[in-house]
Each structure stands twice: as C-alpha cells, then as structure tokens.
Amino acid sequence: MRITTLGSQASKCAALIALCTGLVACGGGSSGSALDNLNGGGGGNGNGSSSSAGNELAQIGRGSGDNFVPGEIGKGIGDNTLSAGGNTLLSVNVVNNGSLITDSVAVTFSSPCIAAGEALLSPQTGGTCEDGCPTDVVQTSNGQATIRYTANGCIGSDTIKATTTYGGSVISAETTIDVAADTVTSLRFIDASPSLITLKGSGGIETSTLRFRVLGSTGAPVKDVDVNFALSRTSGGLQLVSSSGTSGVDGYVYTTVQAGTVPGPVQVIATTDGGITTQSIGLVLSSGLPDQNSFSIAASDVAPPSWNTDGVESTITVRAADAFNNPAPIGTPIYFTASGAAIDGDCLITPDDDNPERSSGSCSVNWTSQEPRQYSDVNFSINESSLTLECPPGVAECRDGRLKIIATTLGNESFIDTNGNGLFDLNEDVFYTADSTEGNAAARAINCLASQPVSGSASHQTSGGISNAFGCDDLGSPYLDRNFNGAYDSNEEIATIDGETETQYSSGNGLYNGVLCRPADADAGLCSRDPVLVRADMTLVMSCSRPLRTSDGRLPGQPTTPVVLGPNQVKSVRMLLADCNGNGIPAGSETTAYDEVANNADVVVSPDGVWPSSQEYGYVTLFITAGEEPPSGAAGIDVTIGGNTWTFLIPIEAQGFPTE
C-alpha cells in the first residue's frame, strides 16, 4: 500500500498507526522504526526528552543551529575547574523542531550543592533576585535561559540539572562543575545565646551556646573543619560541655559553656587545626537574680486625676538588675500589690526592643483607678503664715488619696564588695544591719525598719549627720506602708509572691542572703544562699480635679484685704496651690493671670502655663505692678483643672498718688 498524501505530522502518525494495526512488525523493537524516524528520533535517548509522550520535537541543550548539543548545559568556564567562591554562567536553549521557542517557559536549575546552600544562584547580571522571584528559576520567552552559579562552600564535583516542561513533555539537560577546595583564612565569633548566664545553683539559665564561623579566602563558609575550644578561666567550676567541633555546610561550629559559681566575663578561645584562632566576646556569668539596690519602680503619671473618676490608668514600670548591675534575665517575674484601686498582679522582664536576645531589665503593668480609695484617719490643717499643710504631732501622713504600690521578686540582698572579687566575704565586705555601729547607729536602725530601706551602697554615709538614710542592707519582710510612717504596723499587709501567705512580719536575720555567698561559707553559717524578697515601693496619688481652698473660698495665702500700691510700685502675693486633698494638682492643670478687672495695673503670674504631674502641692506668685495712674479693681489668677476654671481675685487700692 502506498500513502500518497499525509498532510500534517499528526495526520501522518494517525495514518501510519492505522496502517500498522494488526501487523506484528509495526512498532516492534527496532530502534530505527519508521515512526521513530518520522518523529525526529525523539524516542527518549536521555539527552533531549524524557518520554515518547507529548511533543517529542522539543529539546533543551547548549548552542544553536548545527552546533546545538541536546541534553547539555553550557558553562562559561568550559571544562576548567571553578575556583573556591568563584562564579560562572550556566546557559541552555530550548528548541522545538530545531528552532528556538517563542513561548513563555520556566527553566529550573538544581544540584546537590545548590540544595545544600553550598552554591548560590543569581541573575546573570549579578546582584540579587528581586523580592518574590525564585533565584533557581529563569523565565524565558525567547528560548534562552542563563543564570549565574557561585560556589559558596561547595567542594569537588557538582552535577547541575536544567529542567523545563514544553508541549506536555519534561525535558532536561545536565553538566558537571568541579569546584576547587577553599583555604581557611578566618575564624569568626558570631554570637552567644544567651549572652548572660547565671551562677551555678542560682536557678536561672546556666548554659550558653557559642557560635563561630569558618570562612575561606573568598569569604565563603568552609565545611568539615575541626575547631578546638578552651576557656580563658575555669574558676568556680566553669566548664565547656564540648571542647571541639566540626564546621557544617554553613561554616558554623558550636560549643556550650556551663556556668560555675564565680561571676565575671567569660571568653572562649577557638582554634582550627591550622592554627587560626579567635576569642568570644560578650558572654557574662552573673548572679542573675535581682539584688535590692538595683530594683526600682516608677509610674507614667504619679498623680493621675482619679479621685473622682474610675478607669484612669497609670503605667507602673519596674527595672531590675543583679549585683553587677546587669539587667535581670528575660522572663524574671515581678509581682505587684497596691493599697488602693486595682493593679495587674505580675509581669515578666521583657527582651530589649533593639536586641531581642538581650534583656531590657524591665516590665510594666497597669494601675487603674477604682475603689477602694484611701482616706486618712486624721485631717491636715492649713498654716497660712508658713504656707504649709500640717499633720497632727506624731502622724506621718494625713492627706486623702495617697496609696502605696509595692513590687517584689526573689533576689539577693546587696553589699559593698570592697575587694572586688564578686563574692561576699564576712568582715571584709560591707553589709549594714540594724546592729551596725558605723556612723549614726540610731538613724541606721530607723532605716532598717522601712519596707524599702536605703542600702549601704546607695547612702555612702558612715559618720555624722542626722539623716535616716544611713545604709541598711539586711531586709525584713516587705509590707504596704499604709500610714507612711516607715515601720511595719499590725494592720498592714505583708507582700508575698506566688500566692504564698505570710502573716508574721520578720526583721532581717543579720546575715547576707544571696547566691554570692560561697557554699562553704553558707555551711559555716557566715552567710546564706537563700533568696529573699527584694522590693521597691512608691506612693501614688489619686489627685482631685478641684483646687484646695480655705473655708472662705480663698487659695491658701490669698489675702483677705486689698493690695495697696503706690506709683510704679510692684507687690507680690505668694499662694499655695494643691488639689482638694492637699496633694499636687493633676498634670495638665494651668495657671494664668487674670487682669480683666484690673485698672492701671499689670498682672503677671508665675509659673504661668501648664503644670506637670506632681504628688506634692506647689506655689504660685501673683505680681501686681502700678503705673503713674492710680490702680483700682482687682488682680486675679485663673486655675484650670480638669477643664474647669476657678478665678481668685485680690482687690487693688491706690496710695500716695497726687490728687488733682
């Protein structure tokens, strides 16, 4: 039978298949069958196409025209060896029936080194791929795909494959690049995580993992390099968990430091077999637990306008550090108690905003106004001659709206480390107790009664004076000093943590308590390694949105008789300014001069403008100046608190002016 017209290639195939139906010889094992020849020999030879299905005229390879080699990737370096860290271009062409395709296809490049991160791909022009584009894929619509291959720690032979799909067939090409081994030229310390560890047995984080990196002459990482580690000191049982390691494909090699009992900076010395050495930085072994004199508390608003309003907030922030003034570790819990309104129960020390691996040493909670509000058992009196508010004799505080907030956590007592060895030494270091005789012993004994005594390292006072701030480092139970008298009273709460209940107040035990006590000294009773509750307390004022006035409606100090002025004379009037409870006026309150009814007189007030938040009352002075003409009327001051304004006027009279 002769076929005279076949038309398209597809119709030729259909006719031949129909012709061969039932013939044993058709489609047999011959590698040179008529069908194979008609399809251009694309029967799956491993160099151009992957199967006999789909469009078998599509091929991928290098070169073009008569020089096209199917199944091979073109290399910019040819058959030469690629230097360590070097780069070369990889190129393939996608053809169909011998011509470059004009359809859009994606060519993907892959290899073992690429998968391991030991070789990097980038656009042929260099630089980096734009955000969102895969660096191992080249999108082409002209049949040509080129990518840049850079050795990044790869050593030896790397077989690279370029793959795409066209006309329903997956077609691929391959090549092999030989990469020369790199020479180790540097060993770098990268980081320590965490950078602060606590003394052995302190209950904190006691290990840190240190990371170093082995790099070659081109700056690329070098794998399979042995590195040995050593500590700069081993005092107190400080040790390495691993004394050697081998760099991975990314060049990183690791070791772990385990804490001892002696604080201070820690250095790890890393050395390759080739003698390249470096040293770690930034790792500190510290007590970890906060100590008393490094524990403080503050409020975003110390006198929020909340005596008459619920739901007003103030942010309460605690800052904590250990005996070496390193920030307390991330996650250290801080507990809060207040004698009025409501406060969040606890917070955890947070990471630093700029470096999440480091501790900020601080955390915050919200205090919110509500009941109970605090009332004094007795009232103050106004002394207008001295412009002061006075409590009855023997009463420490007699103003409403004042409450105590106390923050506590487990920590260590403080001492003055006179020999600088970072450990407590009895009879050598300074640790003040209620029985210490240095300086004003009576004042020190009073200071020791306070819930938050002034520590010896903060007072620096050893002789003379009558101050109650002579140092006391021996801590008793923390308590809410409701009556502000600086001593524990039976009706005051003892601050506890974790829901523990302590009903009996305990004074200091006369010993240093903390992890800087040597275990042997603790066994001998010279000091104690037991933690204590370190604490910081503060007064918060629920300020009132009305000014304090005398029974006849004046500001304290405001005269009841006119101010008499002669020609060009200046007189001043000083007045006390407080809220309705005798505390400071709320932040944002304003004082301004009122001169609308003053004739022939200038009126100036100081301070003039907005007041800051303050717990204590202040003073305002009104200056009244006469001119050549007789003054009259009244000089005044406007006091604006919480959006409401009160005007206080002082009559003016003239004296000594010429009469006509």
mmCIF file of all heavy atoms in Angstrom, residues 75-119:
data_model
loop_
_atom_site.group_PDB
_atom_site.id
_atom_site.type_symbol
_atom_site.label_atom_id
_atom_site.label_comp_id
_atom_site.label_asym_id
_atom_site.label_seq_id
_atom_site.Cartn_x
_atom_site.Cartn_y
_atom_site.Cartn_z
ATOM 1 N N LYS A 75 28.558 25.986 29.953
ATOM 2 C CA LYS A 75 29.262 26.559 31.101
ATOM 3 C C LYS A 75 30.204 27.653 30.625
ATOM 4 O O LYS A 75 30.951 27.468 29.663
ATOM 5 C CB LYS A 75 30.071 25.490 31.834
ATOM 6 C CG LYS A 75 29.239 24.370 32.436
ATOM 7 C CD LYS A 75 30.097 23.337 33.141
ATOM 8 C CE LYS A 75 30.977 22.576 32.149
ATOM 9 N NZ LYS A 75 31.728 21.471 32.794
ATOM 10 N N GLY A 76 30.200 28.785 31.328
ATOM 11 C CA GLY A 76 31.076 29.877 30.954
ATOM 12 C C GLY A 76 32.539 29.545 31.093
ATOM 13 O O GLY A 76 33.385 30.090 30.376
ATOM 14 N N ILE A 77 32.876 28.642 32.014
ATOM 15 C CA ILE A 77 34.286 28.279 32.226
ATOM 16 C C ILE A 77 34.690 27.069 31.400
ATOM 17 O O ILE A 77 35.840 26.606 31.495
ATOM 18 C CB ILE A 77 34.560 27.992 33.717
ATOM 19 C CG1 ILE A 77 33.690 26.825 34.208
ATOM 20 C CG2 ILE A 77 34.351 29.227 34.555
ATOM 21 C CD1 ILE A 77 34.061 26.334 35.583
ATOM 22 N N GLY A 78 33.776 26.539 30.602
ATOM 23 C CA GLY A 78 34.079 25.347 29.813
ATOM 24 C C GLY A 78 34.364 24.174 30.717
ATOM 25 O O GLY A 78 33.652 23.926 31.688
ATOM 26 N N ASP A 79 35.441 23.434 30.421
ATOM 27 C CA ASP A 79 35.794 22.257 31.221
ATOM 28 C C ASP A 79 36.790 22.589 32.331
ATOM 29 O O ASP A 79 37.317 21.682 32.977
ATOM 30 C CB ASP A 79 36.378 21.180 30.310
ATOM 31 C CG ASP A 79 35.330 20.626 29.341
ATOM 32 O OD1 ASP A 79 34.138 20.623 29.725
ATOM 33 O OD2 ASP A 79 35.703 20.227 28.221
ATOM 34 N N ASN A 80 37.059 23.878 32.569
ATOM 35 C CA ASN A 80 38.005 24.258 33.611
ATOM 36 C C ASN A 80 37.394 24.094 35.006
ATOM 37 O O ASN A 80 36.168 24.022 35.165
ATOM 38 C CB ASN A 80 38.451 25.713 33.430
ATOM 39 C CG ASN A 80 39.225 25.909 32.135
ATOM 40 O OD1 ASN A 80 40.075 25.091 31.792
ATOM 41 N ND2 ASN A 80 38.918 26.991 31.421
ATOM 42 N N THR A 81 38.261 24.071 36.014
ATOM 43 C CA THR A 81 37.815 23.957 37.406
ATOM 44 C C THR A 81 37.441 25.320 37.941
ATOM 45 O O THR A 81 38.161 26.313 37.737
ATOM 46 C CB THR A 81 38.930 23.349 38.275
ATOM 47 O OG1 THR A 81 39.230 22.038 37.800
ATOM 48 C CG2 THR A 81 38.499 23.276 39.740
ATOM 49 N N LEU A 82 36.307 25.400 38.627
ATOM 50 C CA LEU A 82 35.850 26.652 39.216
ATOM 51 C C LEU A 82 36.568 26.881 40.541
ATOM 52 O O LEU A 82 36.652 25.978 41.380
ATOM 53 C CB LEU A 82 34.335 26.612 39.451
ATOM 54 C CG LEU A 82 33.676 27.888 39.990
ATOM 55 C CD1 LEU A 82 33.802 29.022 38.979
ATOM 56 C CD2 LEU A 82 32.205 27.633 40.327
ATOM 57 N N SER A 83 37.103 28.060 40.723
ATOM 58 C CA SER A 83 37.823 28.368 41.962
ATOM 59 C C SER A 83 36.853 28.437 43.129
ATOM 60 O O SER A 83 35.653 28.664 42.958
ATOM 61 C CB SER A 83 38.551 29.702 41.824
ATOM 62 O OG SER A 83 37.614 30.757 41.631
ATOM 63 N N ALA A 84 37.388 28.240 44.344
ATOM 64 C CA ALA A 84 36.567 28.353 45.548
ATOM 65 C C ALA A 84 35.978 29.754 45.618
ATOM 66 O O ALA A 84 36.695 30.750 45.497
ATOM 67 C CB ALA A 84 37.409 28.077 46.783
ATOM 68 N N GLY A 85 34.661 29.830 45.760
ATOM 69 C CA GLY A 85 33.994 31.114 45.809
ATOM 70 C C GLY A 85 33.803 31.766 44.456
ATOM 71 O O GLY A 85 33.222 32.848 44.372
ATOM 72 N N GLY A 86 34.270 31.125 43.387
ATOM 73 C CA GLY A 86 34.150 31.688 42.055
ATOM 74 C C GLY A 86 32.759 31.526 41.483
ATOM 75 O O GLY A 86 31.890 30.865 42.058
ATOM 76 N N ASN A 87 32.527 32.140 40.311
ATOM 77 C CA ASN A 87 31.214 32.039 39.691
ATOM 78 C C ASN A 87 31.360 31.878 38.181
ATOM 79 O O ASN A 87 32.394 32.225 37.588
ATOM 80 C CB ASN A 87 30.354 33.261 40.014
ATOM 81 C CG ASN A 87 30.878 34.535 39.369
ATOM 82 O OD1 ASN A 87 30.566 34.836 38.213
ATOM 83 N ND2 ASN A 87 31.676 35.291 40.120
ATOM 84 N N THR A 88 30.327 31.321 37.583
ATOM 85 C CA THR A 88 30.275 31.147 36.137
ATOM 86 C C THR A 88 28.833 31.180 35.691
ATOM 87 O O THR A 88 27.904 30.967 36.489
ATOM 88 C CB THR A 88 30.929 29.816 35.724
ATOM 89 O OG1 THR A 88 30.969 29.748 34.299
ATOM 90 C CG2 THR A 88 30.137 28.615 36.247
ATOM 91 N N LEU A 89 28.631 31.453 34.375
ATOM 92 C CA LEU A 89 27.286 31.475 33.826
ATOM 93 C C LEU A 89 26.915 30.092 33.311
ATOM 94 O O LEU A 89 27.733 29.388 32.702
ATOM 95 C CB LEU A 89 27.179 32.489 32.697
ATOM 96 C CG LEU A 89 27.316 33.965 33.083
ATOM 97 C CD1 LEU A 89 27.243 34.845 31.840
ATOM 98 C CD2 LEU A 89 26.238 34.375 34.070
ATOM 99 N N LEU A 90 25.684 29.696 33.562
ATOM 100 C CA LEU A 90 25.110 28.461 33.023
ATOM 101 C C LEU A 90 24.031 28.853 32.029
ATOM 102 O O LEU A 90 23.163 29.678 32.343
ATOM 103 C CB LEU A 90 24.507 27.612 34.142
ATOM 104 C CG LEU A 90 25.440 27.231 35.305
ATOM 105 C CD1 LEU A 90 24.666 26.460 36.371
ATOM 106 C CD2 LEU A 90 26.615 26.397 34.801
ATOM 107 N N SER A 91 24.090 28.264 30.814
ATOM 108 C CA SER A 91 23.158 28.659 29.751
ATOM 109 C C SER A 91 22.560 27.436 29.078
ATOM 110 O O SER A 91 23.249 26.427 28.857
ATOM 111 C CB SER A 91 23.871 29.516 28.697
ATOM 112 O OG SER A 91 24.427 30.668 29.278
ATOM 113 N N VAL A 92 21.269 27.526 28.758
ATOM 114 C CA VAL A 92 20.594 26.497 27.965
ATOM 115 C C VAL A 92 19.692 27.183 26.955
ATOM 116 O O VAL A 92 19.243 28.316 27.156
ATOM 117 C CB VAL A 92 19.765 25.536 28.845
ATOM 118 C CG1 VAL A 92 20.643 24.667 29.718
ATOM 119 C CG2 VAL A 92 18.746 26.300 29.686
ATOM 120 N N ASN A 93 19.453 26.463 25.840
ATOM 121 C CA ASN A 93 18.491 26.893 24.842
ATOM 122 C C ASN A 93 17.387 25.857 24.758
ATOM 123 O O ASN A 93 17.647 24.641 24.821
ATOM 124 C CB ASN A 93 19.151 27.059 23.475
ATOM 125 C CG ASN A 93 20.116 28.235 23.443
ATOM 126 O OD1 ASN A 93 19.971 29.185 24.189
ATOM 127 N ND2 ASN A 93 21.120 28.163 22.564
ATOM 128 N N VAL A 94 16.156 26.310 24.599
ATOM 129 C CA VAL A 94 15.019 25.418 24.425
ATOM 130 C C VAL A 94 14.557 25.547 22.979
ATOM 131 O O VAL A 94 14.211 26.647 22.518
ATOM 132 C CB VAL A 94 13.878 25.765 25.394
ATOM 133 C CG1 VAL A 94 12.734 24.759 25.241
ATOM 134 C CG2 VAL A 94 14.383 25.785 26.841
ATOM 135 N N VAL A 95 14.593 24.430 22.252
ATOM 136 C CA VAL A 95 14.237 24.459 20.834
ATOM 137 C C VAL A 95 13.081 23.519 20.562
ATOM 138 O O VAL A 95 12.845 22.566 21.306
ATOM 139 C CB VAL A 95 15.457 24.081 19.953
ATOM 140 C CG1 VAL A 95 16.623 25.041 20.182
ATOM 141 C CG2 VAL A 95 15.882 22.642 20.227
ATOM 142 N N ASN A 96 12.386 23.816 19.492
ATOM 143 C CA ASN A 96 11.311 22.940 19.028
ATOM 144 C C ASN A 96 11.479 22.783 17.522
ATOM 145 O O ASN A 96 11.472 23.782 16.783
ATOM 146 C CB ASN A 96 9.942 23.540 19.360
ATOM 147 C CG ASN A 96 8.808 22.609 18.961
ATOM 148 O OD1 ASN A 96 8.920 21.392 19.137
ATOM 149 N ND2 ASN A 96 7.734 23.160 18.418
ATOM 150 N N ASN A 97 11.717 21.542 17.140
ATOM 151 C CA ASN A 97 11.923 21.251 15.717
ATOM 152 C C ASN A 97 13.119 22.051 15.180
ATOM 153 O O ASN A 97 13.104 22.540 14.056
ATOM 154 C CB ASN A 97 10.656 21.567 14.927
ATOM 155 C CG ASN A 97 10.610 20.799 13.608
ATOM 156 O OD1 ASN A 97 11.340 19.816 13.414
ATOM 157 N ND2 ASN A 97 9.770 21.254 12.701
ATOM 158 N N GLY A 98 14.137 22.204 16.065
ATOM 159 C CA GLY A 98 15.376 22.844 15.663
ATOM 160 C C GLY A 98 15.398 24.338 15.808
ATOM 161 O O GLY A 98 16.446 24.963 15.622
ATOM 162 N N SER A 99 14.286 24.976 16.178
ATOM 163 C CA SER A 99 14.239 26.432 16.290
ATOM 164 C C SER A 99 13.950 26.845 17.735
ATOM 165 O O SER A 99 13.216 26.152 18.474
ATOM 166 C CB SER A 99 13.144 27.003 15.390
ATOM 167 O OG SER A 99 13.390 26.689 14.039
ATOM 168 N N LEU A 100 14.539 27.970 18.147
ATOM 169 C CA LEU A 100 14.273 28.487 19.491
ATOM 170 C C LEU A 100 12.781 28.760 19.654
ATOM 171 O O LEU A 100 12.147 29.324 18.759
ATOM 172 C CB LEU A 100 15.053 29.783 19.734
ATOM 173 C CG LEU A 100 16.582 29.656 19.876
ATOM 174 C CD1 LEU A 100 17.235 31.033 19.894
ATOM 175 C CD2 LEU A 100 16.934 28.903 21.150
ATOM 176 N N ILE A 101 12.246 28.354 20.773
ATOM 177 C CA ILE A 101 10.819 28.557 21.015
ATOM 178 C C ILE A 101 10.550 30.031 21.301
ATOM 179 O O ILE A 101 11.435 30.765 21.749
ATOM 180 C CB ILE A 101 10.310 27.691 22.173
ATOM 181 C CG1 ILE A 101 10.966 28.144 23.488
ATOM 182 C CG2 ILE A 101 10.552 26.222 21.923
ATOM 183 C CD1 ILE A 101 10.343 27.542 24.704
ATOM 184 N N THR A 102 9.343 30.470 21.068
ATOM 185 C CA THR A 102 8.941 31.840 21.394
ATOM 186 C C THR A 102 7.820 31.854 22.435
ATOM 187 O O THR A 102 7.319 32.917 22.783
ATOM 188 C CB THR A 102 8.466 32.572 20.137
ATOM 189 O OG1 THR A 102 7.403 31.834 19.527
ATOM 190 C CG2 THR A 102 9.608 32.739 19.142
ATOM 191 N N ASP A 103 7.472 30.668 22.931
ATOM 192 C CA ASP A 103 6.501 30.584 24.017
ATOM 193 C C ASP A 103 7.201 30.843 25.351
ATOM 194 O O ASP A 103 8.414 30.651 25.481
ATOM 195 C CB ASP A 103 5.837 29.208 24.044
ATOM 196 C CG ASP A 103 5.050 28.936 22.769
ATOM 197 O OD1 ASP A 103 4.438 29.893 22.264
ATOM 198 O OD2 ASP A 103 5.096 27.787 22.296
ATOM 199 N N SER A 104 6.435 31.268 26.385
ATOM 200 C CA SER A 104 6.994 31.510 27.719
ATOM 201 C C SER A 104 7.132 30.185 28.463
ATOM 202 O O SER A 104 6.149 29.445 28.609
ATOM 203 C CB SER A 104 6.098 32.460 28.509
ATOM 204 O OG SER A 104 6.596 32.636 29.813
ATOM 205 N N VAL A 105 8.341 29.882 28.901
ATOM 206 C CA VAL A 105 8.590 28.678 29.698
ATOM 207 C C VAL A 105 9.499 29.057 30.854
ATOM 208 O O VAL A 105 10.222 30.059 30.816
ATOM 209 C CB VAL A 105 9.238 27.547 28.874
ATOM 210 C CG1 VAL A 105 8.316 27.068 27.782
ATOM 211 C CG2 VAL A 105 10.584 27.984 28.328
ATOM 212 N N ALA A 106 9.473 28.239 31.915
ATOM 213 C CA ALA A 106 10.331 28.429 33.081
ATOM 214 C C ALA A 106 11.344 27.292 33.127
ATOM 215 O O ALA A 106 10.974 26.124 33.085
ATOM 216 C CB ALA A 106 9.502 28.453 34.361
ATOM 217 N N VAL A 107 12.623 27.669 33.230
ATOM 218 C CA VAL A 107 13.703 26.688 33.318
ATOM 219 C C VAL A 107 14.216 26.698 34.749
ATOM 220 O O VAL A 107 14.602 27.749 35.278
ATOM 221 C CB VAL A 107 14.845 27.013 32.339
ATOM 222 C CG1 VAL A 107 15.955 25.970 32.459
ATOM 223 C CG2 VAL A 107 14.321 27.075 30.905
ATOM 224 N N THR A 108 14.227 25.534 35.370
ATOM 225 C CA THR A 108 14.665 25.398 36.763
ATOM 226 C C THR A 108 16.028 24.731 36.821
ATOM 227 O O THR A 108 16.255 23.700 36.181
ATOM 228 C CB THR A 108 13.654 24.568 37.568
ATOM 229 O OG1 THR A 108 12.379 25.200 37.511
ATOM 230 C CG2 THR A 108 14.088 24.433 39.016
ATOM 231 N N PHE A 109 16.954 25.328 37.604
ATOM 232 C CA PHE A 109 18.295 24.787 37.788
ATOM 233 C C PHE A 109 18.411 24.206 39.192
ATOM 234 O O PHE A 109 17.949 24.816 40.168
ATOM 235 C CB PHE A 109 19.344 25.885 37.598
ATOM 236 C CG PHE A 109 19.433 26.402 36.189
ATOM 237 C CD1 PHE A 109 18.572 27.390 35.737
ATOM 238 C CD2 PHE A 109 20.392 25.898 35.312
ATOM 239 C CE1 PHE A 109 18.647 27.874 34.441
ATOM 240 C CE2 PHE A 109 20.472 26.378 34.005
ATOM 241 C CZ PHE A 109 19.604 27.370 33.567
ATOM 242 N N SER A 110 19.041 23.040 39.300
ATOM 243 C CA SER A 110 19.187 22.396 40.599
ATOM 244 C C SER A 110 20.467 21.584 40.635
ATOM 245 O O SER A 110 20.998 21.186 39.588
ATOM 246 C CB SER A 110 17.979 21.489 40.883
ATOM 247 O OG SER A 110 17.886 20.460 39.902
ATOM 248 N N SER A 111 20.944 21.350 41.853
ATOM 249 C CA SER A 111 22.120 20.492 42.058
ATOM 250 C C SER A 111 22.214 20.173 43.538
ATOM 251 O O SER A 111 21.598 20.850 44.375
ATOM 252 C CB SER A 111 23.402 21.195 41.588
ATOM 253 O OG SER A 111 23.821 22.157 42.545
ATOM 254 N N PRO A 112 22.992 19.180 43.916
ATOM 255 C CA PRO A 112 23.180 18.881 45.340
ATOM 256 C C PRO A 112 23.752 20.063 46.120
ATOM 257 O O PRO A 112 23.328 20.350 47.236
ATOM 258 C CB PRO A 112 24.138 17.688 45.324
ATOM 259 C CG PRO A 112 23.870 17.007 44.015
ATOM 260 C CD PRO A 112 23.592 18.127 43.052
ATOM 261 N N CYS A 113 24.737 20.781 45.548
ATOM 262 C CA CYS A 113 25.337 21.912 46.259
ATOM 263 C C CYS A 113 24.349 23.062 46.395
ATOM 264 O O CYS A 113 24.320 23.763 47.411
ATOM 265 C CB CYS A 113 26.601 22.383 45.541
ATOM 266 S SG CYS A 113 28.046 21.335 45.844
ATOM 267 N N ILE A 114 23.529 23.267 45.356
ATOM 268 C CA ILE A 114 22.510 24.309 45.444
ATOM 269 C C ILE A 114 21.514 23.973 46.553
ATOM 270 O O ILE A 114 21.149 24.817 47.363
ATOM 271 C CB ILE A 114 21.790 24.479 44.092
ATOM 272 C CG1 ILE A 114 22.754 25.020 43.036
ATOM 273 C CG2 ILE A 114 20.583 25.390 44.233
ATOM 274 C CD1 ILE A 114 22.195 24.992 41.620
ATOM 275 N N ALA A 115 21.092 22.734 46.622
ATOM 276 C CA ALA A 115 20.137 22.309 47.635
ATOM 277 C C ALA A 115 20.702 22.465 49.038
ATOM 278 O O ALA A 115 19.972 22.757 49.989
ATOM 279 C CB ALA A 115 19.714 20.865 47.389
ATOM 280 N N ALA A 116 22.018 22.257 49.182
ATOM 281 C CA ALA A 116 22.654 22.350 50.493
ATOM 282 C C ALA A 116 23.045 23.773 50.862
ATOM 283 O O ALA A 116 23.558 24.015 51.959
ATOM 284 C CB ALA A 116 23.885 21.454 50.531
ATOM 285 N N GLY A 117 22.832 24.725 49.962
ATOM 286 C CA GLY A 117 23.243 26.094 50.224
ATOM 287 C C GLY A 117 24.715 26.327 50.015
ATOM 288 O O GLY A 117 25.246 27.396 50.351
ATOM 289 N N GLU A 118 25.407 25.343 49.426
ATOM 290 C CA GLU A 118 26.844 25.462 49.187
ATOM 291 C C GLU A 118 27.144 26.084 47.827
ATOM 292 O O GLU A 118 28.308 26.300 47.487
ATOM 293 C CB GLU A 118 27.497 24.085 49.286
ATOM 294 C CG GLU A 118 27.345 23.457 50.666
ATOM 295 C CD GLU A 118 27.882 22.038 50.712
ATOM 296 O OE1 GLU A 118 28.472 21.593 49.712
ATOM 297 O OE2 GLU A 118 27.723 21.384 51.754
ATOM 298 N N ALA A 119 26.111 26.340 47.052
ATOM 299 C CA ALA A 119 26.239 27.073 45.802
ATOM 300 C C ALA A 119 25.033 27.992 45.696
ATOM 301 O O ALA A 119 23.916 27.621 46.094
ATOM 302 C CB ALA A 119 26.309 26.145 44.601
#
